[in-house]
């Protein structure tokens, strides 16, 4: 797509969308100076922008990348309960073997009044998320999931269900909410949806998952 990457900063279309939302939250006061922010699998242009803001206690994390603050497994995050005020985790869940566990971990480390940008590739042409544990070859994964390092292909309904059953409430910001003009300005597809997650209050005093601490 001609609009995918910015010729000036290299930001992808989805990075521009995230930056727009973050700016709006800063302007509204929802994201406050000093907030603890964790950026999983950090996109270079977006990470650079957030660091330049110099507003947050900002850390990066990834399983493979060497130049991050924490090298972690998303299915076993070594942070204490309610560790962060805000997180960004984009296009990671389609890579992990147990996405339910990964989402539960993200919910566990999010403060009760916090939130996150939690995104994955969505196929609008399927009704149910496609998974096949026997698809281990590059060819099979390309054929089924569209990339050789993906282990599932999310449907819209399947993705939202995964987030909701593992501890999050989901806000979906689509073209009707964002506006067609801004969608076009950011170079996004009209079907784009920004998924913002929050953690509802536990029911009947139910505890969070067991606490973990950084090593």
């Amino acid at each position: 797509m001609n609009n995918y990457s910015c010729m000036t900063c290299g930001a992808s279309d989805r990075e521009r969308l995230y930056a727009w939302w973050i700016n709006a939250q800063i302007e509204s006061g929802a994201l406050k100076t000093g907030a603890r922010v964790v950026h999983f699998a950090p996109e270079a242009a977006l990470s650079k922008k957030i660091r330049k803001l110099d507003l947050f206690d900002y850390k990066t994390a990834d399983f493979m990348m060497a130049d991050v603050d924490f090298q972690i497994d998303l299915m076993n995050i070594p942070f204490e309960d309610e560790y962060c005020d805000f997180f960004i985790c984009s296009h990671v869940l389609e890579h992990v073997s147990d996405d339910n566990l990964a989402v539960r971990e993200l919910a566990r480390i999010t403060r009760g009044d916090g939130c996150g940008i939690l995104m994955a590739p969505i196929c609008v042409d399927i009704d149910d998320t496609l998974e096949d544990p026997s698809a281990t070859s590059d060819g099979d994964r390309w054929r089924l999931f569209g990339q050789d390092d993906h282990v599932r292909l999310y449907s819209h309904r399947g993705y939202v269900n995964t987030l909701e059953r593992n501890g999050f409430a989901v806000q979906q910001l689509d073209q009707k909410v964002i506006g067609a003009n801004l969608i076009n300005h950011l170079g996004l597809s009209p079907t784009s949806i920004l998924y913002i997650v929050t953690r509802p209050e536990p029911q009947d005093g139910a505890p969070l998952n067991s606490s973990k601490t950084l090593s």
Side-chain angles (χ1 to χ4, degrees):
M1 291 178 60
N2 293 334
N3 293 329
Y4 180 75
S5 295
C6 173
M7 295 181 64
T8 301
C9 69
S12 67
D13 51 359
R14 63 177 183 262
E15 287 178 85
R16 297 192 291 271
L17 177 61
Y18 307 163
W20 163 79
W21 187 86
I22 291 168
N23 284 338
Q25 300 310 297
I26 293 170
E27 290 175 4
S28 71
L31 267 178
K32 297 178 172 58
T33 299
R36 179 176 281 175
V37 176
V38 181
H39 192 171
F40 297 93
E43 299 88 351
L46 181 61
S47 183
K48 182 178 180 180
K49 172 182 171 58
I50 295 173
R51 289 190 189 279
K52 284 183 68 176
L53 291 173
D54 196 25
L55 294 175
F56 309 124
D57 177 5
Y58 174 75
K59 302 296 183 184
T60 56
D62 191 74
F63 184 65
M64 298 290 291
M65 296 169 67
D67 56 344
V68 292
D69 296 299
F70 303 112
Q71 285 190 293
I72 66 163
D73 181 344
L74 200 65
M75 297 177 291
N76 186 27
I77 302 175
F79 300 161
E80 63 188 10
D81 294 350
E82 301 193 72
Y83 176 80
C84 64
D85 299 291
F86 171 60
F87 72 83
I88 306 164
C89 184
S90 175
H91 289 226
V92 179
L93 292 176
E94 69 273 17
H95 298 275
V96 302
S97 59
D98 189 337
D99 58 340
N100 291 294
L101 179 54
V103 175
R104 288 197 296 273
E105 281 289 85
L106 289 170
R108 180 184 64 79
I109 68 164
T110 304
R111 290 181 179 169
D113 57 351
C115 62
I117 293 174
L118 186 50
M119 303 286 285
I122 305 293
C123 180
V124 298
D125 297 324
I126 59 176
D127 294 325
D128 299 301
T129 294
L130 177 61
E131 292 188 82
D132 184 354
S134 69
T136 56
S137 71
D138 289 354
D140 283 344
R141 288 182 172 178
W142 272 111
R143 177 174 55 84
L144 292 172
F145 313 131
Q147 197 162 308
D148 58 4
D149 58 350
H150 288 189
V151 297
R152 64 186 57 82
L153 180 62
Y154 287 108
S155 68
H156 172 261
R157 179 177 65 184
Y159 185 65
V160 173
N161 286 345
T162 296
L163 304 188
E164 290 182 338
R165 71 170 173 261
N166 289 295
F168 280 125
V170 183
Q171 182 182 13
Q172 302 179 52
L173 306 184
D174 60 10
Q175 181 172 265
K176 293 179 181 178
V177 178
I178 298 172
N181 288 339
L182 182 58
I183 288 286
N184 182 64
H185 176 71
L186 295 174
L188 294 160
S189 164
T191 61
S192 297
I193 298 176
L194 178 62
Y195 296 90
I196 304 298
V197 294
T198 56
R199 207 195 73 225
E201 288 300 318
Q203 299 297 311
D204 300 323
L208 294 169
N209 295 344
S210 297
S211 297
K212 299 182 181 181
T213 56
L214 287 170
S215 57

